[in-house]
Amino acid sequence: MRTSRQVVDYSLQKRAVLRDVFAGRVGTYDVCDASPYLKNAARFHGEPTEQRCPICRSENLTHVHYIYGDELKQSAGQARTLAELPALAMTLREFQVFVVEVCLGCDWNHLVEQFLLGRDGLAEGGPEQGAAEAATAATQGRRREAQR
């Protein structure tokens, strides 16, 4: 998405949690604790992925996009589909998106990334756009490296 900026990737934190689970320092009941609200959001607003759950390895993960921002008022904190985000980004000045991965089988859930969207990032050729493009490229490079 062209206007995304200030991307924060939580893959290192996820790897640390999984390392603790597989080493036996943390139980699966401690990390597989998705609330019923999160599971419903994943069912009705989530985006299915091709990634397998790192805990049960039998279900594919679902990404849920939660939005927060001052302009959203009563809509803040709602889950939205990925298709709705570009339209919101063109109508609102700025809002924050949190992406949570959820396994509907074993209730694993973890924050994947967060980023800003909105019209404020549309300044053509401005330093913010260059920084956002650099952050996106760096994030994609880290993801490719982590998948190896």
Side-chain angles (χ1 to χ4, degrees), residues 19-31:
R19 186 174 43 244
D20 287 345
V21 169
F22 296 140
R25 292 186 289 269
V26 175
T28 56
Y29 290 112
D30 294 327
V31 295

Side-chain angles (χ1 to χ4, degrees), residues 37-79:
Y37 296 112
L38 179 57
K39 290 171 62 175
N40 280 336
R43 265 189 215 100
F44 298 111
H45 303 287
E47 302 292 328
T49 68
E50 295 299 317
Q51 294 176 307
R52 287 281 186 201
C53 174
I55 302 296
C56 70
R57 294 189 176 118
S58 63
E59 299 275 337
N60 285 349
L61 295 172
T62 303
H63 284 174
V64 182
H65 299 80
Y66 285 101
I67 57 172
Y68 293 90
D70 293 337
E71 287 182 274
L72 293 167
K73 296 184 174 61
Q74 71 272 12
S75 298
Q78 290 183 351

Side-chain angles (χ1 to χ4, degrees), residues 14 38 41-52 60-66 79-82 85 98-104 108 110-113 115 143:
K14 176 183 170 180
L38 179 57
R43 265 189 215 100
F44 298 111
H45 303 287
E47 302 292 328
T49 68
E50 295 299 317
Q51 294 176 307
R52 287 281 186 201
N60 285 349
L61 295 172
T62 303
H63 284 174
V64 182
H65 299 80
Y66 285 101
R80 298 294 178 114
T81 62
L82 193 58
L85 294 181
F98 291 86
V99 183
V100 179
E101 67 181 18
V102 182
C103 174
L104 294 172
W108 158 262
H110 197 275
L111 179 63
V112 176
E113 69 179 348
F115 52 90
R143 285 186 188 150

